[in-house]
Structures are given as C-alpha cells and as structure tokens.
Amino acid sequence: MEDTSLCCEQLPDGECIEVQKDEDGALIELDCQNGFPEGRKEFVAPAVGMEFESYDDAYNYYICYAKEVGFRVRVKNSWFKRNSREKYGAVLCCSSQGFKRIKDVNHLRKETRTGCPAMIRMRLVESQRWRVLEVMLEHNHMLGAKIQRLVKKMGTGLKRKSLPSSDAEGQTIKLYRALVIDAGGDGISNSTAREDRSFCEFSNKLNLRKGDSQAIYNFLCRMQLTNPNFFYLMDFNDEGHLRNAFWVDARSRAACGYFGDVIYFDNSYLSNKYEIQLVTFVGINHHGHSVLLGCGLLASETTESYVWLFRTWVKCMAGCSPQTIITDRCKALQRAIIEVFPRCRHCFGLSLIMKKIPEKLGGLHNYDALRKALIKAVYETLKVIEFEAAWGFMIQHFGVSDHEWLRSLYEDRVHWAPVFLKDTFFAGMSAARPGENITPFFDRYVHKQTPLKEFLDKYELALHKKYKEESFADIQSRSSSPLLKTRCSFELQLSRLYTREMFMKFQSEVEEVYSCFGTTQLHVDGPIIIFLVKERVLIEGNRREIRDFEVLYSRTVGEVRCICSCFNFYGYLCRHALCVLNFNGVEEIPHRYILSRWKKDYKRLYVPDHSSGTADDTDRIQWSNQLFRSALQVVEEGILSLDHYNVALQSLEESLSKVHDVEQRQE
C-alpha cells in the first residue's frame, strides 16, 4: 500500500477527521483518536466551520461518518450557478429524513422514513472550499450497529478518480480544518524504546506518550487560529499511525523567500536520541541571526522519511531550493538530498564533526597530539595539496591508518574540509574557523529529556523571542549609525548599507588590515594579477606567526579573491582582499561583494517570488503566499516608529476598503 500523507488545517472544538484512499482509489477510514478511551477509535461528528477541498471530499466524509454511526445518507438539495451549472451548495441528510408522498408510497414495502432531522448544510465559500454551515446530529430512530473494524474499505460506488500525485502529498484527499492525530500510548514507554538505537532508526511510527496526541492537536489548532498562512502536513503508515509531521508558521514561510539560499538541516535531536524526535530547517537572516524555516517530527532516520520531509518543505515553500544545505554526516540524508535537491551543494557541518573528536579518538594513545594535528590539517591548510600532506603525515606519524572513523572522514573530505569548499557560499554558517559552532535553533529550550508537550508549549515562546530580537535589530540598524574605528573608506561605505551586526563583523576585518603587511605582486596573467599578502596570525599562547595569503585581483572585471575564501564562507571580504584593493588605489568595495542579504533595508527592497513570474488565475495558495509576504513587509516597516505605525495602519485599512469595493461591484 502507498504511504499516506494528510494536509491539514485547524478543526474547531476538538473534532478530527481521517480519510485516505487505498491503492485502487477507494476511501479508507484511518486509525484516529480524539479523546476516546485507548483502543477505541472512531469518526467524530461533523461540526459547523469544517472546510473541505471539494464537494466530493465533504460528501465522502459524511458517508464515512454515517457508516460509523449506522445510518444511510442521501442528497436532499443541491444548488447550481445559473450560467456555469457549477454546484455551490448542498444539504446532505439521513435517508430517513422527511416522509414519502402518498402517491409515491409502495404499499408492498414498509415505510422507512421517520422525518429524521439529522443533516448537514454546506456551501462553496470565497476560498473555493466547501464549508459546513449548519449541522443536526440527532436522529429520531434506531441506528444500525457501528462498524467496529479498525480499517474498512468502502464499496466501489464511492470510488473516485485518482487524484494527481504530488511530490509532497502522494495519493491524498485533503481535508482542510480536518485534523488527524495518532493514538497516544502503545504500552511501550518512550524511555525504554529510545534506548534501542535500531528502534529509533527504523521505527515506523512516532513514539507518543500519553497526552501527546492531544498536545499536538491543541498546538496545531492554536497556531492555525493565531497564525495566518500556517501550514502543516502529516504522514501515516499503513496501519494509520502518525509517522512523520511537518509544520511551518507564516513568518518562516516568508523568511525562506529571503534567506533560503543557505540552510542548515538539524537532525541532532533525532540522531542523538533525544526524547523529542525533532528536526528543523534553519537559515541566517540579514543580521546574521538564525531564523527558523520549518519544523518536523520524524519516526526514524531513513531515506524515505527524509525524502518525504524535504519534498513537503519544497512544496510548502513554493518550490524554493537552497544553494547550499548543511547537515550531519548521514548516508540516509545524503541519498535523500541527492533525490530531492540534485543541484544543491550538500556539505557536512564542520563543527559537528569536530565535536566528535573526543568521542571517536579519546581512547587513542597520544590523543592530545593527534587532536592538534587534525585541527591543524583542517583549519590551517589553504590548498588541497597542503591538506593531503598534513593528513598523510598525521595518519603515518600516529599509526591510525586502520582507524574506521578517520578513514571514513577522509573519504568524505570534499563534503566538510574547508579547503575543498572554497567555491561554496555559506552565508556565515560554515563555522570554518576554530571554536565556531552551528547553534541549534531551539538551544536552551530543548534538552535530552524534554517531552513533546513541553516543547510545543515553548515553541511559540522561542519564536516570539527570535522575532523580537530581529525587530529590535531592525530598529537599531535603521535608527543609529555605528561608531567608525578607522579612516578606511571601505568601513564608511558599508556602515551606511549593512545591518549593525553584519557591519561589525566586517569592521573586525577592516581593523585586522593593520596586522597585514608586505603586499607584493607575484604573477601577472593578462588582466589578472596575483598578490601575496603577509599576516601576523595569533596562535597559541598569544604568540604570532607570519602566514602568506595569495589574492587574485582583476581591475577590469572588479574581481578580488583571496585563498582564505572569507567571502564565500562568511559573506564579506577579508583583510587580505582589502589590502590588495587598497594597494591598487580602490576606494570602494566592488558592487559584486556587497550582498543585498546583509543590507538593513533588504526586506523592503526585495520581494521574493518563486512563481513563474505571473499570478496563476486559479492558484489561490500562490495568491495567499504573495499577499502575506507583501503584507508582512508593511508590518515590519510599521513597527519602526509611531509615525510608521500610523501610516502603515491607515494604508492597510484603505487597501481593505478598496478590496471590499471590488467585491461590491461584482455583486
């Protein structure tokens, strides 16, 4: 049977629905729990406010519910538009509703109608979804026996044509505002199950403790109510148990358009056997701060799970694909990224690898000396030939040629060693210098024993704090000018453009220009000149040693590239490149080395759009995403001051009034 996913939004008052199709396209009831005693799983009653993607989905749901409760359904009324004959309203009722007319009564058959009031009335609304407007649940007659089997295929009379399969959703009937929650508690405690590594790697369902199901439901409903454009998708195994989940809030979806070029996919909570099976997509914003681009819960570390998650993320982010994605070393992740992001540069987090040195090498003889040799080979070599020589010396000198971890690390060197990644853009997430780390987004909010319910409670708190930090940084960058520390024209130039945090990082490079000396010309090849810059580099014990850095410069194309590759790793020019520009009388940094993503007004100037360039006449999801991104710009500008706020609020009110005018003209 094909794996199943369900695209969901909020359902009011604690109801839940589950519908999917089998291989033949027939509808199947899914294992579902919503406050029922453990082991009892049922369809719940319809409620006012439920929305469905199509009339067929609404009709099939009510049929499923009727079979569970024990009554038959018929269509009482349908309404069609006069010109297009498109259906826009309907009433579904119990087959015992009303009474037969006298002339229609078959005297050979017993009257079965009882005037039953049970029904639902629904209508096609502005979002092109079918909304339940009125519900009557009470019957005035005996109901048939409920269906007790966990999964029951319905008759061929209810089969629908197969829906087109999308990457993220598979064969799915989407029920909007229809939440699916897997039953919590299966007799196995999380702590016991997590001790078995193989269980974590190959489990086919999430480990949910008692109460986790309701916690997930409450969380998703709360986010849906308070966060417009909130998205989530849930994946179920063949038995209907929740296996994987993904969600992303509106601001994260907007942020991906701006900062989705470099992404760190953090699966450390999953791979390190944390209580919560959490994975996150993390980017870097224009202040150099981490920004959340999506969250997920995965049952296991398998290629299948990662492929599902990545495809869901791409679908949600309107086809956004990163230039660079950073992950832990994991074969399953490698295979998934090759499949979903074939043109993306996949790198292993260097700091994640270096953190494992004590664990992997701690028991070896001469550990301290070996660790220093490894660090020197990784961080201090500038050319591939230097790295290979340093690695070979380390292996031979310490006699570790048969060490499995070092051997596998060397085989993967093109994915993590800085010397092999000089042409890869990292936007500051490379951690290519000693002591630098990639910090988990939920650091200080999640520890190894943090339960799922506690994390979901802290989720909004963590995001609120991050958003508050970004808003404060925006205001600070716009309203104040940083203190200049030199007379360098490059410093003055970027102080006017960059956010405060990013300028300060660049400013440190400007200050360190004075540790460089002896800029000399080595080689000329037409318009390209190679310079040698010497630098006094601080090493252990506050001692300094002199190192040489080669810098390529071309005045005709405005290109300057240093062998240290600071620009690709961190997004700004290094002290060595600045020395060469200064040596050649250049007073301004070339435009190509001033990144828009670091500018203080970046979000105002750039409206990301991953669509084909024109709005689809029927793609309301695309409309929603684009409108939200534009509205978010107004919001972020509007909080800079009271004057900004008043203008933004007035503009939004005027826009809403104009939209209402369009609606009135169409009536």
Side-chain angles (χ1 to χ4, degrees):
M1 180 181 290
E2 294 289 333
D3 297 332
T4 305
S5 304
L6 189 62
C7 180
C8 306
E9 296 185 13
Q10 157 236 336
L11 174 69
D13 302 327
E15 275 90 309
C16 69
I17 306 169
E18 304 187 12
V19 176
Q20 77 177 56
K21 294 188 301 182
D22 67 4
E23 293 173 325
D24 300 322
L27 294 173
I28 298 177
E29 299 177 29
L30 290 182
D31 182 1
C32 167
Q33 176 174 336
N34 181 39
F36 295 112
E38 186 174 347
R40 182 185 174 193
K41 289 143 187 173
E42 314 181 10
F43 269 82
V44 297
V48 173
M50 283 184 179
E51 289 189 5
F52 299 84
E53 184 174 338
S54 67
Y55 170 78
D56 285 343
D57 286 350
Y59 176 80
N60 288 326
Y61 158 68
Y62 197 57
I63 289 288
C64 291
Y65 166 71
K67 279 184 170 284
E68 175 70 20
V69 173
F71 67 95
R72 295 179 181 274
V73 173
R74 63 183 174 87
V75 180
K76 180 182 180 182
N77 295 105
S78 295
W79 291 272
F80 298 83
K81 293 182 179 179
R82 183 170 301 175
N83 297 327
S84 64
R85 298 300 296 168
E86 178 187 0
K87 184 181 291 187
Y88 69 88
V91 173
L92 307 181
C93 65
C94 174
S95 60
S96 296
Q97 189 271 342
F99 298 94
K100 289 184 179 179
R101 292 176 295 178
I102 296 177
K103 66 177 182 178
D104 294 334
V105 174
N106 184 339
H107 295 288
L108 298 179
R109 297 180 60 185
K110 183 179 179 180
E111 170 63 79
T112 58
R113 296 194 184 183
T114 64
C116 180
M119 52 78 72
I120 63 170
R121 181 170 63 88
M122 54 190 182
R123 183 183 177 90
L124 186 67
V125 294
E126 294 83 358
S127 62
Q128 296 301 303
R129 299 173 185 169
W130 282 79
R131 180 181 298 163
V132 176
L133 303 178
E134 183 179 355
V135 174
M136 287 292 294
L137 299 178
E138 294 77 14
H139 296 261
N140 62 2
H141 56 91
M142 295 292 292
L143 299 176
K146 289 188 178 182
I147 299 171
Q148 297 297 329
R149 289 191 300 165
L150 182 65
V151 177
K152 178 178 176 62
K153 292 188 178 181
M154 297 174 60
T156 56
L158 293 178
K159 289 187 179 180
R160 305 172 61 217
K161 292 181 179 179
S162 297
L163 297 177
S165 176
S166 70
D167 287 345
E169 296 167 65
Q171 292 185 336
T172 303
I173 297 176
K174 291 189 284 186
L175 302 183
Y176 290 85
R177 290 187 170 82
L179 176 66
V180 184
I181 299 295
D182 187 54
D186 54 6
I188 304 176
S189 70
N190 265 13
S191 57
T192 302
R194 285 297 186 81
E195 291 300 317
D196 183 359
R197 176 66 174 168
S198 63
F199 182 89
C200 180
E201 290 178 345
F202 303 109
S203 176
N204 197 32
K205 67 175 182 177
L206 284 173
N207 286 322
L208 298 179
R209 286 187 171 188
K210 184 178 181 181
D212 282 351
S213 296
Q214 189 64 40
I216 295 174
Y217 169 75
N218 292 339
F219 168 75
L220 295 176
C221 283
R222 183 172 67 250
M223 292 300 296
Q224 188 65 54
L225 284 169
T226 61
N227 200 302
N229 217 26
F230 179 79
F231 173 94
Y232 65 92
L233 191 69
M234 312 187 88
D235 174 45
F236 298 85
N237 61 22
D238 293 340
E239 290 74 37
H241 292 290
L242 180 59
R243 175 171 51 189
N244 304 310
F246 170 80
W247 71 88
V248 59
D249 69 285
R251 292 193 64 158
S252 294
R253 296 179 76 175
C256 187
Y258 299 112
F259 310 115
D261 50 351
V262 181
I263 290 177
Y264 167 47
F265 177 73
D266 183 6
N267 67 335
S268 58
Y269 302 117
L270 183 63
S271 60
N272 292 330
K273 304 180 187 178
Y274 275 59
E275 180 73 20
I276 180 173
Q277 296 167 272
L278 176 70
V279 293
T280 59
F281 295 84
V282 181
I284 289 291
N285 68 10
H286 53 314
H287 300 289
H289 301 161
S290 60
V291 56
L292 188 66
L293 304 178
C295 277
L297 297 172
L298 295 185
S300 58
E301 299 178 73
T302 63
T303 301
E304 179 186 23
S305 294
Y306 288 131
V307 166
W308 178 88
L309 184 72
F310 292 152
R311 285 179 173 169
T312 302
W313 185 82
V314 170
K315 182 74 174 179
C316 171
M317 298 303 183
C320 174
S321 181
Q323 298 176 28
T324 307
I325 186 166
I326 304 167
T327 73
D328 194 5
R329 290 178 69 218
C330 172
K331 292 299 182 183
L333 264 175
Q334 271 188 285
R335 291 190 290 266
I337 289 172
I338 290 172
E339 182 173 342
V340 183
F341 303 115
R343 291 182 293 276
C344 173
R345 183 65 186 268
H346 180 202
C347 306
F348 301 147
L350 178 57
S351 63
L352 303 177
I353 292 174
M354 303 308 283
K355 280 182 180 179
K356 295 180 180 178
I357 291 178
E359 172 193 346
K360 301 295 184 179
L361 305 179
L364 297 179
H365 182 60
N366 292 332
Y367 163 72
D368 289 335
L370 174 60
R371 181 182 63 84
K372 289 180 181 180
L374 177 57
I375 290 174
K376 185 178 181 66
V378 172
Y379 290 113
E380 297 183 16
T381 56
L382 295 173
K383 299 179 180 179
V384 171
I385 190 172
E386 294 175 0
F387 174 85
E388 299 287 359
W391 190 277
F393 170 80
M394 176 189 70
I395 295 297
Q396 183 177 6
H397 181 76
F398 294 100
V400 288
S401 59
D402 58 346
H403 192 279
E404 179 62 25
W405 185 70
L406 288 175
R407 183 192 60 77
S408 66
L409 206 60
Y410 179 75
E411 290 176 354
D412 289 336
R413 62 193 182 282
V414 297
H415 293 289
W416 61 267
V419 73
F420 293 97
L421 301 173
K422 293 180 181 292
D423 294 327
T424 304
F425 182 66
F426 285 94
M429 297 186 75
S430 63
R433 295 167 182 159
E436 293 180 338
N437 295 299
I438 301 178
T439 304
F441 185 84
F442 291 106
D443 189 37
R444 298 189 303 248
Y445 292 93
V446 177
H447 53 77
K448 248 189 171 174
Q449 283 75 42
T450 300
L452 178 60
K453 288 192 291 185
E454 181 180 331
F455 166 73
L456 295 177
D457 289 338
K458 291 181 176 179
Y459 173 85
E460 290 176 274
L461 178 64
L463 259 61
H464 177 72
K465 183 178 179 181
K466 290 285 187 179
Y467 295 151
K468 188 175 180 180
E469 288 176 356
E470 182 174 326
S471 296
F472 179 77
D474 281 336
I475 294 171
Q476 194 175 35
S477 293
R478 298 276 192 90
S479 61
S480 63
S481 299
L483 178 66
L484 301 183
K485 298 183 178 181
T486 71
R487 295 182 180 180
C488 178
S489 60
F490 305 139
E491 184 184 15
L492 176 63
Q493 179 187 7
L494 292 195
S495 71
R496 297 168 175 169
L497 300 175
Y498 278 8
T499 61
R500 187 179 185 88
E501 287 80 0
M502 293 311 303
F503 169 73
M504 291 176 66
K505 292 179 179 181
F506 171 75
Q507 189 179 47
S508 67
E509 291 297 321
V510 175
E511 291 183 277
E512 289 299 325
V513 165
Y514 296 101
S515 66
C516 300
F517 65 97
T519 302
T520 57
Q521 182 175 304
L522 283 183
H523 179 70
V524 178
D525 184 7
I528 299 176
I529 306 174
I530 297 178
F531 289 88
L532 180 68
V533 177
K534 294 182 178 293
E535 181 188 6
R536 294 184 181 91
V537 179
L538 187 66
I539 58 175
E540 290 181 327
N542 291 325
R543 294 184 298 108
R544 288 183 178 268
E545 68 177 25
I546 297 176
R547 293 182 186 167
D548 295 338
F549 295 86
E550 294 180 8
V551 181
L552 178 150
Y553 174 67
S554 173
R555 179 184 293 273
T556 56
V557 296
E559 182 179 8
V560 57
R561 286 193 296 165
C562 179
I563 196 170
C564 76
S565 200
C566 176
F567 182 78
N568 278 341
F569 286 147
Y570 298 98
Y572 46 82
L573 288 179
C574 64
R575 61 202 71 172
H576 320 113
L578 296 179
C579 281
V580 170
L581 290 177
N582 187 61
F583 182 83
N584 285 274
V586 178
E587 296 184 354
E588 288 192 345
I589 293 176
H591 179 73
R592 67 195 299 174
Y593 298 108
I594 301 176
L595 297 184
S596 295
R597 75 181 329 279
W598 302 140
K599 291 183 178 180
K600 60 183 71 177
D601 55 358
Y602 174 55
K603 287 187 176 182
R604 181 173 60 184
L605 298 178
Y606 172 59
V607 178
D609 187 2
H610 299 292
S611 66
S612 58
T614 57
D616 191 318
D617 291 341
T618 60
D619 191 347
R620 294 176 182 270
I621 295 178
Q622 178 186 330
W623 301 353
S624 174
N625 291 341
Q626 185 60 54
L627 285 171
F628 184 83
R629 285 196 294 262
S630 299
L632 186 59
Q633 283 187 305
V634 178
V635 172
E636 291 179 341
E637 293 289 327
I639 63 175
L640 295 178
S641 70
L642 181 59
D643 289 339
H644 283 76
Y645 166 77
N646 290 330
V647 172
L649 184 60
Q650 182 181 353
S651 299
L652 289 173
E653 290 174 347
E654 290 174 355
S655 298
L656 184 60
S657 178
K658 291 179 180 179
V659 171
H660 287 162
D661 290 342
V662 173
E663 185 176 335
Q664 291 174 0
R665 288 197 299 269
Q666 291 178 344
E667 291 181 352

